Amino acid sequence: EEERLKKEREIEEKMEDFAQKEHEMNERLAAIDTASVARKKKERKLEAKVIVYARKEKEIKDRLAAIEADSVARRKKERAASLARRKKERAESLKQQNSIESK
């Protein structure tokens, strides 16, 4: 009888130990799950930031390209206007010289 009670106590202790270990494992798994959820949330936030950054970068590049295109067009117009002015000045100068020479 005493032997049987001793074995029952040992079994109960082992079961309690097992239950304690199972509880600890469940707590660890819950902590891992919580950390995993938090990590995934951070990853999604980072992905969203990367997408926003990429959009802003594209907008900036597009604006810079438009500014550069405007600048090139403006320089072409200025060169054309300058060339036309010089031609006109040359033509007027030649007219004056011809007029002076013909007198």
Side-chain angles (χ1 to χ4, degrees):
E1 182 70 24
E2 196 174 304
E3 191 68 31
R4 189 179 57 82
L5 289 173
K6 186 177 177 184
K7 282 187 181 182
E8 281 181 12
R9 267 188 254 124
E10 284 177 7
I11 291 171
E12 284 176 14
E13 286 174 4
K14 286 182 181 178
M15 288 177 66
E16 286 174 8
D17 189 44
F18 176 78
Q20 179 63 30
K21 286 181 181 176
E22 185 180 32
H23 178 72
E24 289 172 5
M25 283 186 354
N26 285 335
E27 285 180 345
R28 286 186 198 143
L29 286 172
I32 289 170
D33 286 346
T34 301
S36 176
V37 167
R39 187 176 60 253
K40 286 179 183 174
K41 191 174 179 180
K42 279 184 181 179
E43 287 173 358
R44 283 193 298 272
K45 282 183 180 180
L46 284 174
E47 287 171 359
K49 285 180 181 180
V50 167
I51 290 169
V52 167
Y53 173 79
R55 285 181 185 154
K56 286 182 179 179
E57 183 180 36
K58 185 181 181 328
E59 288 174 12
I60 290 169
K61 284 181 179 178
D62 290 348
R63 279 192 228 143
L64 286 174
I67 289 168
E68 182 63 26
D70 287 348
S71 178
V72 167
R74 189 168 41 271
R75 282 191 299 245
K76 282 183 180 179
K77 284 181 182 178
E78 288 171 357
R79 279 191 217 119
S82 176
L83 184 62
R85 237 182 288 118
R86 282 191 300 235
K87 282 183 178 180
K88 185 178 176 183
E89 289 169 358
R90 243 184 264 132
E92 288 174 3
S93 177
L94 284 173
K95 267 187 192 178
Q96 286 176 354
Q97 281 181 342
N98 286 341
S99 143
I100 291 171
E101 289 174 5
S102 66
K103 287 184 181 178

